[in-house]
Amino acid sequence: MPCSLSSVITRSIVQGSGIGPSLFLIYIADLKTQGKDDRLIKFADDCTLLVPAGSSVSVECEMKSIKEWAILNKMMLNLGKTKEIVFHRPHPRKFSLPPKLTDIEQVSSAKLLGVYFTDQLSMTEHLNKTVAVCNQRLYLLCQLKKQGMSVSCLHIVFDSIVICKILYASPAWFGYVNNDHVNLIQKLLSKAFRWGLSGKRYDA
C-alpha cells in the first residue's frame, strides 16, 4: 500500500483532525484582554472583543495587544472579515461614533455565529433574513410534495429545516423581539400549516 511522503508542520493545527479543535483552544488559551472590564469571547477560530464605554483600556490598545499576540504566536488575523460595531440606545440625546480602527470596517450591523446584531440591538434584520430563508425552504418542501413525498416525511423535513432555523440561537435574541417580529414568524408558520407542510399549528 503506497504512502505519501512526510512533511514538517511548521505552525497552527492540522485542519480536519479529531484532536484539532481541542488543541486549538489550548493554543489560544493565553489570548486575553488588557482591561479588567473587557471581554474576549472565543468560539473555535472566531474571537469577539467587547469593550464597554467606561473601560480603562481603549479598543485601540486591545487590538494592538491582539495583533502583537498573533505575531508572537505565528497566527494571521483576517482584518478583512473583522468588523467593529458600536452599540448604543435607539435615540440617544448625545451620541457620536468613536474614531474608526485602522484597517477595520465600522458597521451598523454584524453577523455573529449566524445571528445578525445591529448597533441598536434590534432583531429586525435577523428575523427578516431568517424568514426569507425559511420561505425559500417552504418552496423546496412544496417541490418535494409535488414529487410524491409522504406527508409524515414532509412534516419531519419541515421541523428539521424550518423550525430548527427559526429556533437557532433563540436564547440570544428572543428577549429583543416585538409584536411585529412575532407576527412575521406567525405568518410563516400559519402558511406552512395551511399548505400542509407542517404537521401541527405552531404558535409563535
Side-chain angles (χ1 to χ4, degrees):
M1 182 175 177
C3 297
S4 60
L5 298 176
S6 299
S7 297
V8 178
I9 300 174
T10 58
R11 62 177 62 181
S12 191
I13 305 297
V14 178
Q15 186 172 2
S17 65
I19 199 173
S22 299
L23 290 177
F24 186 79
L25 291 176
I26 295 172
Y27 191 77
I28 65 172
D30 62 338
L31 175 59
K32 302 181 184 299
T33 59
Q34 301 297 302
K36 65 177 183 178
D37 296 323
D38 303 340
R39 296 290 182 268
L40 193 61
I41 303 170
K42 307 171 188 176
F43 183 86
D45 60 345
D46 288 329
C47 291
T48 302
L49 174 66
L50 299 178
V51 180
S55 174
S56 59
V57 179
S58 66
V59 180
E60 291 81 5
C61 291
E62 290 286 9
M63 284 303 302
K64 180 181 178 183
S65 174
I66 292 173
K67 290 177 180 178
E68 291 174 348
W69 178 92
I71 293 173
L72 182 64
N73 289 273
K74 296 182 174 61
M75 298 281 285
M76 292 185 64
L77 298 178
N78 191 339
L79 297 180
K81 291 186 177 180
T82 303
K83 309 297 181 185
E84 179 189 20
I85 183 169
V86 181
F87 296 107
H88 58 84
R89 294 178 180 176
H91 303 289
R93 292 183 179 179
K94 295 181 180 180
F95 174 76
S96 58
L97 288 171
K100 296 181 180 180
L101 296 171
T102 305
D103 299 326
I104 294 177
E105 182 184 5
Q106 195 175 79
V107 297
S108 58
S109 67
K111 185 180 180 182
L112 177 60
L113 300 177
V115 179
Y116 289 88
F117 291 92
T118 69
D119 53 3
Q120 300 178 19
L121 288 179
S122 167
M123 287 296 110
T124 299
E125 181 176 0
H126 175 71
L127 288 172
N128 284 340
K129 291 181 180 296
T130 298
V131 170
V133 171
C134 288
N135 275 314
Q136 293 174 351
R137 294 179 179 182
L138 290 186
Y139 174 78
L140 171 62
L141 286 167
C142 287
Q143 299 306 307
L144 293 176
K145 185 178 181 180
K146 289 180 180 179
Q147 294 297 322
M149 177 176 280
S150 67
V151 173
S152 59
C153 287
L154 276 173
H155 296 167
I156 293 173
V157 176
F158 173 81
D159 288 343
S160 300
I161 67 175
V162 177
I163 296 299
C164 287
K165 177 64 178 178
I166 294 173
L167 294 179
Y168 173 75
S170 56
W173 55 261
F174 190 75
Y176 297 95
V177 301
N178 55 36
N179 289 334
D180 291 337
H181 299 149
V182 173
N183 292 335
L184 185 66
I185 297 173
Q186 187 61 59
K187 183 178 179 181
L188 172 77
L189 296 174
S190 298
K191 179 169 60 176
F193 181 77
R194 190 168 62 252
W195 290 358
L197 305 177
S198 171
K200 57 183 177 180
R201 188 186 298 274
Y202 288 96
D203 291 323

